Amino acid sequence: MSTLAVYPGSFDPLTNGHVDIISRGARLFDRIVVAILMNAEKAPLFTMQERVDIAREVFRKYGNVEVDTFNGLLVDYVERRNAQVIVRGLRAVSDFEFEFQMALMNRRLNAKIETVFMMPAEQYTYISSRLIKEVFALGGRVHGLVPELVEQRLREKV
Ligand code: PNS
């Protein structure tokens, strides 16, 4: 049986922490879908199409990484895709409480789906999309923390 994993998130924007988790997932699972939640935030920095385009471009050379969008309950999307696993990244203990709640709620909603937590490389453990946006907006350097394409797109936004 081949294992299809779904890595859901807002990806506004995609960071090197996300890229690290996706590449680990691509080695571990037969196929991994980067599933971008539609309408998560009222005012996202990047439009849905921009986020999809960025992720597709970054993972262009990966044969088993797909980029898709979803709406509504994550477990319904996972079931519709016939996937077995939800992948989430755990950066620090502070992530744990919310992730634990979500994993157990998702299990209650659909017991056939397993959540698998993966740790990014240490150098990415403090990165979040929110911090990237804030630091960049205030003139700070985000080089090395996001893919070059994201850095370029951030510059175009200013
Ligand atoms: O990038 P994020 O904001 O950490 O991703 C959160 C996400 C998209 C995984 C979560 O908000 C989600 O699954 N939303 C879809 C709606 C849903 O299923 N909610 C119940 C979760 S227990």
Side-chain angles (χ1 to χ4, degrees):
M1 184 185 98
S2 77
T3 310
L4 176 64
V6 169
Y7 180 49
S10 316
F11 305 104
D12 184 38
L14 184 77
T15 68
N16 280 346
H18 296 132
V19 172
D20 182 273
I21 296 288
I22 298 163
S23 11
R24 285 171 201 280
R27 289 200 295 271
L28 194 60
F29 304 108
D30 294 294
R31 202 168 167 75
I32 183 163
V33 181
V34 179
I36 310 179
L37 177 65
M38 293 195 257
N39 309 323
E41 274 184 71
K42 284 210 179 81
L45 181 63
F46 289 96
T47 66
M48 198 64 211
Q49 196 54 53
E50 285 171 326
R51 282 179 274 161
V52 168
D53 291 346
I54 288 170
R56 289 209 174 124
E57 181 55 30
V58 170
F59 290 98
R60 196 162 45 91
K61 295 203 174 112
Y62 283 66
N64 65 341
V65 176
E66 184 194 328
V67 179
D68 195 11
T69 58
F70 78 103
N71 232 330
L73 275 183
L74 172 61
V75 287
D76 291 344
Y77 172 77
V78 173
E79 169 113 53
R80 219 164 42 242
R81 292 299 313 257
N82 285 318
Q84 301 84 357
V85 172
I86 294 170
V87 170
R88 290 290 287 172
L90 268 190
R91 292 163 298 189
V93 181
S94 51
D95 280 342
F96 182 77
E97 201 170 318
F98 178 59
E99 293 298 334
F100 186 66
Q101 266 186 328
M102 277 210 302
L104 291 183
M105 178 59 85
N106 283 331
R107 180 184 282 167
R108 188 187 166 87
L109 294 169
N110 189 329
K112 295 194 301 263
I113 301 165
E114 282 300 333
T115 298
V116 171
F117 293 113
M118 298 182 74
M119 287 169 290
E122 308 90 271
Q123 69 262 36
Y124 302 132
T125 47
Y126 63 92
I127 306 176
S128 69
S129 298
R130 188 186 59 77
L131 268 189
I132 293 292
K133 283 185 280 194
E134 185 174 318
V135 168
F136 188 82
L138 297 172
R141 240 171 82 85
V142 296
H143 187 71
L145 304 180
V146 293
E148 275 180 26
L149 180 60
V150 171
E151 217 181 317
Q152 199 181 309
R153 294 287 160 86
L154 280 168
R155 269 188 247 114
E156 288 164 10
K157 290 264 170 204
V158 179

